[in-house]
Amino acid sequence: PPLEVIQKLCKGAKVLVCFTHTGSFALNAGIAGAESVTGVDASQLAVDQATANAALNGLSDSVTVSISL
């Protein structure tokens, strides 16, 4: 979805992102002001990349990513 939609839906919300991959939706939700963002993916590589991307964007406090099989 466009960033404007993410901003409207996610501001102040608790967001769950399934199949987060590199975390682009999760990061945009965090940037939009989500209270918290939980991302899950079946790939450890994807979890590692999304976690690193959250750190690079200063979102480690609000965006967490874990593996789920």
Coordinates of all heavy atoms in Angstrom, one line a residue:
P1 N 0.8 -1.2 0.0 CA 0.0 0.0 0.0 C 0.9 1.3 0.0 O 2.0 1.2 0.5 CB -0.8 -0.1 1.3 CG -0.3 -1.3 2.0 CD 0.7 -2.0 1.2
P2 N 0.3 2.3 -0.5 CA 1.1 3.6 -0.5 C 1.4 4.0 1.0 O 0.7 3.7 1.9 CB 0.1 4.6 -1.1 CG -0.8 3.8 -1.9 CD -0.9 2.5 -1.2
L3 N 2.4 4.8 1.1 CA 2.9 5.3 2.4 C 1.8 6.0 3.2 O 1.6 5.9 4.4 CB 4.1 6.1 2.3 CG 4.8 6.6 3.6 CD1 5.1 5.4 4.5 CD2 6.0 7.4 3.3
E4 N 1.0 6.8 2.4 CA -0.1 7.5 3.1 C -1.1 6.6 3.8 O -1.6 6.9 4.8 CB -0.9 8.4 2.0 CG 0.0 9.4 1.3 CD 0.8 8.8 0.1 OE1 0.3 7.9 -0.5 OE2 1.9 9.3 -0.2
V5 N -1.4 5.5 3.1 CA -2.3 4.5 3.7 C -1.7 3.9 5.0 O -2.4 3.8 6.0 CB -2.7 3.4 2.7 CG1 -3.5 2.3 3.4 CG2 -3.4 4.0 1.5
I6 N -0.4 3.6 4.9 CA 0.2 3.0 6.1 C 0.2 4.0 7.2 O 0.0 3.6 8.4 CB 1.7 2.6 5.7 CG1 1.7 1.5 4.7 CG2 2.5 2.2 7.0 CD1 3.1 1.2 4.1
Q7 N 0.5 5.3 6.9 CA 0.5 6.3 8.0 C -0.9 6.4 8.7 O -0.9 6.5 9.9 CB 0.9 7.6 7.4 CG 2.4 7.7 7.0 CD 2.8 8.9 6.2 OE1 1.9 9.6 5.6 NE2 4.0 9.2 6.2
K8 N -1.9 6.4 7.9 CA -3.3 6.5 8.5 C -3.6 5.3 9.3 O -4.2 5.4 10.4 CB -4.3 6.7 7.4 CG -4.3 8.0 6.8 CD -5.3 8.2 5.6 CE -5.2 9.5 4.9 NZ -6.1 9.6 3.8
L9 N -3.3 4.1 8.8 CA -3.6 2.8 9.5 C -2.8 2.5 10.8 O -3.3 1.9 11.7 CB -3.5 1.6 8.6 CG -4.5 1.6 7.4 CD1 -4.2 0.4 6.5 CD2 -5.9 1.4 8.0
C10 N -1.6 2.9 10.7 CA -0.6 2.5 11.7 C -0.3 3.4 12.9 O 0.2 3.0 13.9 CB 0.7 2.1 11.1 SG 0.5 0.7 9.9
K11 N -0.6 4.7 12.7 CA -0.3 5.7 13.8 C -0.9 5.3 15.1 O -2.1 5.1 15.2 CB -0.7 7.1 13.4 CG -0.2 8.1 14.3 CD -0.4 9.5 13.8 CE 0.2 10.4 14.9 NZ 0.5 11.7 14.3
G12 N -0.1 5.0 16.1 CA -0.6 4.7 17.4 C -1.1 3.3 17.6 O -1.5 2.9 18.7
A13 N -1.0 2.5 16.6 CA -1.5 1.1 16.6 C -0.4 0.1 17.0 O 0.8 0.4 16.9 CB -2.1 0.7 15.2
K14 N -0.9 -1.1 17.4 CA 0.0 -2.2 17.6 C -0.2 -3.0 16.3 O -1.2 -3.5 15.9 CB -0.4 -3.1 18.8 CG -0.2 -2.3 20.1 CD -0.6 -3.2 21.3 CE -0.4 -2.4 22.5 NZ -0.8 -3.2 23.7
V15 N 1.0 -3.2 15.6 CA 0.9 -3.8 14.2 C 1.6 -5.2 14.2 O 2.7 -5.3 14.7 CB 1.6 -2.8 13.2 CG1 1.6 -3.4 11.8 CG2 0.9 -1.5 13.2
L16 N 1.0 -6.1 13.6 CA 1.6 -7.5 13.3 C 1.8 -7.6 11.8 O 0.9 -7.4 11.0 CB 0.7 -8.6 13.8 CG 1.1 -10.0 13.4 CD1 2.4 -10.4 14.1 CD2 0.0 -11.0 13.9
V17 N 3.0 -7.9 11.4 CA 3.4 -8.1 10.0 C 3.9 -9.5 9.8 O 4.9 -9.9 10.3 CB 4.5 -7.1 9.6 CG1 4.8 -7.3 8.1 CG2 4.1 -5.7 9.9
C18 N 3.1 -10.3 9.1 CA 3.4 -11.7 8.8 C 4.2 -11.7 7.4 O 3.9 -10.9 6.6 CB 2.2 -12.5 8.7 SG 1.3 -12.6 10.2
F19 N 5.2 -12.6 7.3 CA 6.0 -12.7 6.1 C 6.7 -11.3 5.9 O 6.7 -10.8 4.8 CB 5.2 -13.1 4.9 CG 4.3 -14.2 5.2 CD1 2.9 -14.1 5.3 CD2 4.8 -15.5 5.3 CE1 2.1 -15.1 5.5 CE2 4.0 -16.6 5.6 CZ 2.6 -16.4 5.7
T20 N 7.4 -10.8 6.9 CA 8.0 -9.5 6.9 C 9.1 -9.3 5.9 O 9.4 -8.2 5.5 CB 8.4 -9.0 8.3 OG1 8.6 -7.7 8.3 CG2 9.6 -9.8 8.8
H21 N 9.8 -10.4 5.5 CA 10.9 -10.3 4.6 C 12.0 -9.4 5.1 O 12.5 -9.5 6.2 CB 10.4 -10.0 3.2 CG 11.5 -10.2 2.1 ND1 12.2 -11.4 2.0 CD2 11.9 -9.4 1.2 CE1 13.1 -11.3 1.0 NE2 12.9 -10.1 0.5
T22 N 12.3 -8.3 4.4 CA 13.4 -7.4 4.9 C 12.8 -6.3 5.8 O 13.6 -5.5 6.3 CB 14.1 -6.8 3.7 OG1 13.1 -6.1 2.9 CG2 14.8 -7.8 2.8
G23 N 11.5 -6.3 6.0 CA 10.9 -5.4 7.0 C 10.4 -4.1 6.5 O 10.1 -3.2 7.2
S24 N 10.2 -4.0 5.2 CA 9.8 -2.7 4.6 C 8.5 -2.2 5.2 O 8.4 -1.0 5.6 CB 9.8 -2.7 3.1 OG 8.9 -3.6 2.6
F25 N 7.5 -3.1 5.2 CA 6.2 -2.6 5.8 C 6.3 -2.3 7.3 O 5.8 -1.3 7.8 CB 5.1 -3.7 5.6 CG 3.7 -3.2 6.0 CD1 2.9 -2.5 5.1 CD2 3.3 -3.3 7.3 CE1 1.6 -2.0 5.5 CE2 2.0 -2.8 7.7 CZ 1.2 -2.2 6.8
A26 N 7.0 -3.2 8.0 CA 7.2 -3.0 9.4 C 7.9 -1.7 9.7 O 7.6 -1.0 10.6 CB 8.0 -4.2 10.0
L27 N 9.0 -1.4 8.9 CA 9.7 -0.2 9.1 C 8.8 1.1 8.8 O 8.8 2.0 9.6 CB 11.0 -0.1 8.3 CG 12.0 -1.2 8.6 CD1 13.1 -1.1 7.5 CD2 12.5 -1.1 10.0
N28 N 8.1 1.0 7.8 CA 7.2 2.1 7.4 C 6.1 2.3 8.5 O 5.7 3.4 8.8 CB 6.6 1.9 6.1 CG 7.5 2.3 5.0 OD1 8.0 3.5 4.9 ND2 7.8 1.4 4.1
A29 N 5.6 1.2 9.1 CA 4.7 1.3 10.2 C 5.3 2.0 11.4 O 4.7 2.8 12.0 CB 4.1 -0.1 10.6
G30 N 6.5 1.6 11.7 CA 7.3 2.3 12.8 C 7.5 3.7 12.5 O 7.3 4.6 13.4
I31 N 7.9 4.1 11.3 CA 8.1 5.5 11.0 C 6.8 6.3 11.0 O 6.8 7.4 11.4 CB 8.8 5.5 9.6 CG1 10.2 5.0 9.6 CG2 8.7 7.0 9.0 CD1 10.8 4.7 8.2
A32 N 5.7 5.6 10.7 CA 4.4 6.2 10.7 C 3.9 6.5 12.1 O 2.9 7.1 12.3 CB 3.4 5.4 9.9
G33 N 4.6 5.9 13.1 CA 4.2 6.2 14.5 C 3.4 5.1 15.2 O 2.7 5.3 16.2
A34 N 3.6 3.9 14.7 CA 2.9 2.7 15.4 C 3.5 2.6 16.8 O 4.7 2.9 17.1 CB 3.2 1.4 14.6
E35 N 2.6 2.3 17.7 CA 3.0 2.1 19.1 C 4.1 0.9 19.2 O 5.1 1.1 19.9 CB 1.8 1.7 20.0 CG 2.1 1.5 21.4 CD 0.9 1.1 22.2 OE1 -0.2 1.5 21.9 OE2 1.1 0.3 23.2
S36 N 3.8 -0.2 18.5 CA 4.7 -1.3 18.4 C 4.5 -2.0 17.1 O 3.4 -2.0 16.6 CB 4.6 -2.2 19.6 OG 3.3 -2.8 19.6
V37 N 5.5 -2.7 16.6 CA 5.4 -3.5 15.4 C 6.1 -4.8 15.7 O 7.3 -4.8 16.1 CB 6.1 -2.8 14.2 CG1 5.9 -3.6 13.0 CG2 5.5 -1.4 14.0
T38 N 5.4 -5.9 15.5 CA 6.0 -7.2 15.6 C 5.9 -7.8 14.2 O 4.9 -8.0 13.6 CB 5.1 -8.1 16.5 OG1 5.1 -7.5 17.8 CG2 5.7 -9.5 16.6
G39 N 7.1 -8.2 13.7 CA 7.2 -8.8 12.4 C 7.6 -10.3 12.6 O 8.4 -10.6 13.5
V40 N 7.1 -11.2 11.8 CA 7.4 -12.6 11.8 C 7.7 -13.1 10.4 O 7.2 -12.6 9.4 CB 6.4 -13.5 12.5 CG1 6.2 -13.1 13.9 CG2 5.0 -13.3 11.8
D41 N 8.7 -14.0 10.3 CA 9.0 -14.6 9.0 C 9.5 -16.0 9.3 O 10.0 -16.3 10.4 CB 10.1 -13.8 8.3 CG 10.1 -14.1 6.8 OD1 10.5 -15.1 6.4 OD2 9.6 -13.2 6.1
A42 N 9.4 -16.9 8.3 CA 9.9 -18.3 8.5 C 11.4 -18.4 8.2 O 12.0 -19.4 8.4 CB 9.1 -19.2 7.5
S43 N 12.0 -17.3 7.6 CA 13.4 -17.4 7.2 C 14.2 -16.6 8.3 O 14.0 -15.4 8.5 CB 13.5 -16.7 5.9 OG 14.9 -16.3 5.6
Q44 N 15.3 -17.3 8.8 CA 16.2 -16.6 9.7 C 16.9 -15.5 9.0 O 17.2 -14.4 9.6 CB 17.2 -17.6 10.3 CG 18.1 -17.0 11.4 CD 17.3 -16.5 12.6 OE1 16.5 -17.3 13.2 NE2 17.4 -15.2 12.9
L45 N 17.3 -15.7 7.8 CA 17.9 -14.6 7.0 C 17.1 -13.4 6.9 O 17.5 -12.2 7.1 CB 18.3 -15.1 5.6 CG 18.9 -14.0 4.7 CD1 20.2 -13.5 5.2 CD2 19.2 -14.6 3.3
A46 N 15.8 -13.5 6.6 CA 14.9 -12.4 6.6 C 14.7 -11.7 7.9 O 14.7 -10.5 8.0 CB 13.5 -12.9 6.1
V47 N 14.6 -12.5 9.0 CA 14.6 -11.9 10.3 C 15.8 -11.1 10.6 O 15.7 -10.0 11.2 CB 14.4 -13.0 11.4 CG1 14.5 -12.5 12.8 CG2 13.0 -13.7 11.2
D48 N 17.0 -11.7 10.3 CA 18.2 -10.9 10.6 C 18.3 -9.6 9.8 O 18.7 -8.6 10.3 CB 19.4 -11.8 10.2 CG 19.6 -13.0 11.1 OD1 19.0 -13.0 12.2 OD2 20.3 -14.0 10.7
Q49 N 17.9 -9.7 8.5 CA 17.9 -8.5 7.7 C 16.9 -7.4 8.2 O 17.2 -6.3 8.2 CB 17.6 -8.8 6.2 CG 18.7 -9.6 5.5 CD 18.3 -10.1 4.1 OE1 17.1 -10.3 3.8 NE2 19.3 -10.2 3.3
A50 N 15.7 -7.9 8.5 CA 14.7 -6.9 9.0 C 15.1 -6.3 10.4 O 14.9 -5.1 10.6 CB 13.3 -7.6 9.2
T51 N 15.7 -7.1 11.2 CA 16.2 -6.6 12.5 C 17.3 -5.6 12.3 O 17.4 -4.5 12.9 CB 16.7 -7.8 13.4 OG1 15.6 -8.7 13.6 CG2 17.3 -7.3 14.7
A52 N 18.3 -5.9 11.4 CA 19.3 -4.9 11.0 C 18.8 -3.6 10.4 O 19.2 -2.5 10.8 CB 20.3 -5.6 10.1
N53 N 17.8 -3.8 9.6 CA 17.1 -2.6 9.0 C 16.4 -1.7 10.0 O 16.5 -0.5 9.9 CB 16.2 -3.0 7.9 CG 16.9 -3.5 6.6 OD1 18.1 -3.1 6.4 ND2 16.2 -4.3 5.8
A54 N 15.8 -2.4 11.0 CA 15.2 -1.6 12.1 C 16.2 -0.8 12.9 O 16.0 0.4 13.2 CB 14.4 -2.5 13.0
A55 N 17.3 -1.5 13.1 CA 18.4 -0.8 13.9 C 19.0 0.4 13.0 O 19.2 1.5 13.6 CB 19.5 -1.8 14.2
L56 N 19.2 0.2 11.8 CA 19.7 1.2 10.9 C 18.8 2.4 10.8 O 19.3 3.5 10.6 CB 20.0 0.7 9.5 CG 21.2 -0.3 9.3 CD1 21.1 -0.9 7.9 CD2 22.5 0.5 9.5
N57 N 17.5 2.2 11.0 CA 16.5 3.3 11.0 C 16.1 3.8 12.3 O 15.2 4.6 12.5 CB 15.3 2.8 10.2 CG 15.6 2.8 8.7 OD1 15.5 3.8 8.0 ND2 15.9 1.6 8.2
G58 N 16.9 3.4 13.4 CA 16.6 3.9 14.7 C 15.2 3.4 15.3 O 14.6 4.1 16.1
L59 N 14.8 2.2 14.9 CA 13.5 1.7 15.3 C 13.5 0.5 16.1 O 12.5 -0.2 16.3 CB 12.6 1.4 14.0 CG 12.3 2.7 13.2 CD1 11.7 2.2 11.8 CD2 11.3 3.6 13.9
S60 N 14.7 0.1 16.7 CA 14.8 -1.1 17.4 C 13.9 -1.1 18.7 O 13.5 -2.2 19.1 CB 16.3 -1.3 17.9 OG 17.1 -1.5 16.8
D61 N 13.6 0.0 19.2 CA 12.7 0.1 20.4 C 11.2 -0.2 20.1 O 10.5 -0.7 20.9 CB 12.8 1.4 21.1 CG 14.1 1.7 21.8 OD1 14.8 0.7 22.0 OD2 14.5 2.8 22.0
S62 N 10.8 0.0 18.8 CA 9.4 -0.2 18.5 C 9.2 -1.3 17.5 O 8.0 -1.8 17.4 CB 8.8 1.1 17.9 OG 9.5 1.5 16.8
V63 N 10.2 -1.7 16.8 CA 10.0 -2.8 15.7 C 10.8 -4.0 16.2 O 12.1 -3.9 16.3 CB 10.5 -2.3 14.3 CG1 10.4 -3.4 13.3 CG2 9.6 -1.1 13.9
T64 N 10.2 -5.1 16.4 CA 10.8 -6.4 16.7 C 10.4 -7.4 15.7 O 9.3 -7.4 15.2 CB 10.5 -6.9 18.1 OG1 9.1 -7.1 18.2 CG2 10.9 -5.9 19.2
V65 N 11.4 -8.3 15.4 CA 11.1 -9.3 14.3 C 11.6 -10.6 14.9 O 12.7 -10.7 15.5 CB 11.9 -9.0 13.0 CG1 11.5 -10.0 11.9 CG2 11.6 -7.6 12.6
S66 N 10.8 -11.7 14.7 CA 11.2 -13.0 15.1 C 10.8 -14.1 14.1 O 10.1 -13.8 13.2 CB 10.6 -13.3 16.5 OG 9.2 -13.3 16.3
I67 N 11.4 -15.3 14.3 CA 11.2 -16.4 13.4 C 9.9 -17.1 13.8 O 9.7 -17.3 15.0 CB 12.4 -17.3 13.2 CG1 12.3 -18.2 12.0 CG2 12.7 -18.0 14.5 CD1 13.5 -18.8 11.5
S68 N 9.1 -17.6 12.9 CA 8.0 -18.4 13.2 C 7.8 -19.4 12.1 O 7.8 -19.0 10.9 CB 6.7 -17.5 13.3 OG 5.6 -18.3 13.6
L69 N 7.8 -20.6 12.4 CA 7.7 -21.7 11.4 C 6.3 -22.1 11.2 O 5.5 -22.4 11.8 CB 8.6 -22.8 11.7 CG 10.1 -22.5 11.9 CD1 10.9 -23.7 12.4 CD2 10.6 -22.0 10.5

